[in-house]
Amino acid sequence: MRRSTEGGTSSVLEVVAPDDERIDDERIDDEDTVLTRRVLRTGRRRTALAVVAVVAVVALFVAGWSAARAFESPAQRAARATPPPAGVVTAAVSDGSLERTLSATATIGRVAPETVTVAASLASAVVTKQTVAVGGQLGAGSVALEVNGRPLLALPGAFPYYRTLTLGDQGPDVRQLQAGLVAAGMQVTEDGRFGGTTARAVTALYTRAGYSVPTTEVPSAPAADGTAAADGTVTSSATTSDARSTGSSASPAAGSSTGTSGTGTSGTGTSGTGTSGAGPTAAQVSVPAAELVVFSTLPADVLTVPSVGTILTATSGIGVESGAVVASAPVAASAAGTLRVGMTGTLTGPDGTQADVAITSIDAAGETTGAAAGEAASGVSGSGTPSAGSGPASASSGSSGSQSASSGGITIGGAEVSTDPPASEDSTVRLSAAGGDGFPAAWLHGSGVAVITVSVAAQHSLIVPSIAVVSGAKGAAHVLKRGPDGSYVSVPVTEIGTLEGKSAVRPTTAGALRAGDAVKVG
């Protein structure tokens, strides 16, 4: 330290610090002395150097570790890739069946859907009343539709009516009419002859439906009470109920027909030849073909029906479905060849409940095999002329189908069905409820999931992976069952069947192997 002398001049105080310390100058002024002092700032430089040194050491360590990882030797990589020692793999024993199944979405409806045309030859054939709504049911003898104020009576049959039927007529159409009257609850002998009993039954049918019976006037002695006499005539006071029953007017039915006498424009009756004035006349019961509409099976559920005010055309019709409730499931060509009529399975309905089912028919490329073939072939279409695939020809096809169904030799629900294999094409499989119980009514027009059992290797057996079964000498086999202490014991078994990597086994000693036990695999 050095200090200058006095003498009225400024005095300077100089402080000398050690070499490793930093000194700042600070000037101190008073009235006659200016003092410059260097103030020590200790420790800061030393701390900064220490921090720099630590950071450098850490950086070098990280760089070295990264380099070591990047330049791993082949021996180190091989050691790291070596898998751990293999452990013992086990599988649980289950209780069940070995079977191959096929699943498909099925729609639920009746076996025989059809559309019956109600075409008209008149320039104006108008629906004047809808007698049954969609979703309703048509029965034998019920009114299917009202056209021009007259009924279309629904009757079961194999072909449409083609002429007006009246007293004295004979033929297959008369026999079909008599069968339809019987189905409607009338007492008639089915002999194919239109006599007084048939005429009275027709009168009763129309009366029950709420319409006057159609008649034609013929020379005859009337019955005293004004009702249908034994010969099918009524009193002359009864007028013809509808112009369509006479020979001078047209009928809503498509096509013309011939009656017993006289001629007309579209369907002839017994009148039209000018019998008036020749003596007493009577109204004779006659049934115009235009007022009878034929369905293959009744009762039937109505699917479509023309509304009031509709002018009927050649394509107008009533859509119905009848017969048993069945499930129909489309099946791809790859699976069609594995299916046979008579195979069983389950159907889960729209409400989640299940029903046992059996295949009753397999339709491939528009052809039907099985019990439903005869039913499908017997449908009719049209009240004028038979449509393709209907009428007498279709009845013959139905018979042929039934014969084919009988050739298979198995019975489902009391009926024999064919077991002939279908063609390997896209097919529609029909399923019926097993046991003849039928499906719940709530399922109708819904959908469900069908599961068909294609093959069964074993039922109600213990199931293990096939690789868990160890074959020994002379066909002996065993599985290794894990005990409570982790050790394994050999359990002799008999392999009942195998399917898709699983085996059904039966232990030689009862109770030696149970569901839930663990067996060694491989």
Side-chain angles (χ1 to χ4, degrees), residues 171-193:
D173 51 349
V174 175
R175 186 180 297 274
Q176 178 173 273
L177 173 64
Q178 292 170 333
L181 291 170
V182 171
M186 305 300 167
Q187 298 295 323
V188 181
T189 300
E190 300 177 38
D191 57 5
R193 304 172 68 91

Side-chain angles (χ1 to χ4, degrees), residues 3-13 27-28 30 32-36:
R3 184 190 298 271
S4 61
T5 58
E6 306 172 4
T9 61
S10 299
S11 298
V12 177
L13 177 63
R27 184 174 298 275
I28 303 175
D30 53 21
D32 57 354
T33 303
V34 177
L35 178 63
T36 302

Side-chain angles (χ1 to χ4, degrees), residues 129-155:
K129 185 177 181 180
Q130 191 180 71
T131 55
V132 60
V134 172
Q137 192 174 76
L138 277 177
S142 62
V143 179
L145 199 65
E146 183 185 277
V147 178
N148 291 355
R150 293 296 296 169
L152 296 184
L153 295 174
L155 292 177

